[in-house]
Amino acid sequence: MSNTQKAPASVSPAAALIVAALLILGLQRFVPYGRLILYPFTLLSTWVHEMGHGLTACLVGGRFDHLEIYANASGLAYFTAAPGARQALVAAGGLLAPPLIGMLLLVLGRRAARPLLAALALTMVASLLLWVRTPVGWLTVGGLALLCAAAGRLLAAPGRLFFVQLLGLLLGLDTVTRADYLFMSSARIGGQLHPSDVAGIASTLGGPSALWGVLLAGLSAALLLVGLWSVLGPTARRARIE
């Protein structure tokens, strides 16, 4: 009788990324109510954006009071920061947070999918306790925390890799796909009109807001490309996850 064992399933990070991209495209373009399925992940991007503002405020010596997330996927972070360059950094921190976190998920996903999902879940839970102040935020961020924790705990390695790549791609694409916000002077958030982040940077540092929008769009695209190269580049294509 043969004593051979079945080889464990494996998947390449590139294959997982391609499947994630096709899933996003299919849900957005071809599946009825597909955008509704992606809605919680749109709110994930909003949460990352607002957390980017708040945590950047803490890093530059300010204070993060709380954040609000609304059903139309807009959000608002309440913070204090010294006037001038520090306030501009806080404004840019929100815009760059989704592509930065997306890039980290793509770069590190093959080696540390489970720790990354655990870190995301713990950060979401901490934000619920400390900063989130709207029912939409509590429901969405709490549900996503449970989803990330369950994925890290229950999925096999290929499934964890796919989920991390999916989150990384969605976050990496966020600022690029919503690039119109980078060229708006104001936005309606929670029923009220607020200056946009780019307008805040321009009023603080000077120069046309369109210039800052172009610079931030370029930085966001560069972060996305770094993440994609880490998965699709020549070296990464030879790697497999067991």
Side-chain angles (χ1 to χ4, degrees), residues 33-213:
Y33 305 106
R35 292 181 183 272
L36 185 61
I37 297 172
L38 290 174
Y39 173 70
F41 299 102
T42 302
L43 293 181
L44 170 65
S45 297
T46 302
W47 173 77
V48 173
H49 177 107
E50 304 308 333
M51 287 290 291
H53 285 313
L55 295 180
T56 303
C58 294
L59 288 174
V60 300
R63 186 170 67 89
F64 184 11
D65 187 71
H66 69 277
L67 67 87
E68 297 174 351
I69 298 174
Y70 302 101
N72 66 351
S74 64
L76 199 60
Y78 292 81
F79 59 87
T80 57
R86 294 185 183 184
Q87 283 190 346
L89 285 172
V90 173
L95 293 168
L96 294 176
L100 177 61
I101 298 301
M103 182 268 289
L104 291 175
L105 291 175
L106 291 172
V107 170
L108 301 176
R110 178 172 63 86
R111 299 178 181 86
R114 177 172 281 166
L116 287 171
L117 290 171
L120 269 176
L122 289 173
T123 304
M124 289 176 189
V125 171
S127 75
L128 288 173
L129 297 174
L130 296 173
W131 297 303
V132 178
R133 295 292 183 271
T134 56
V136 171
W138 294 329
L139 180 62
T140 305
V141 177
L144 287 167
L146 289 174
L147 182 61
C148 288
R153 180 72 177 174
L154 301 177
L155 292 179
R160 291 195 301 270
L161 173 65
F162 168 75
F163 191 68
V164 168
Q165 299 281 38
L166 177 66
L167 294 181
L169 189 57
L170 286 166
L171 290 172
L173 289 169
D174 179 70
T175 303
V176 175
T177 55
R178 294 200 277 185
D180 56 330
Y181 179 65
L182 295 175
F183 301 95
M184 296 169 59
S185 60
S186 61
R188 190 165 294 278
I189 303 172
Q192 297 183 350
L193 205 62
H194 294 267
S196 69
D197 294 324
V198 172
I201 295 172
S203 66
T204 300
L205 298 182
S209 58
L211 173 62
W212 293 109

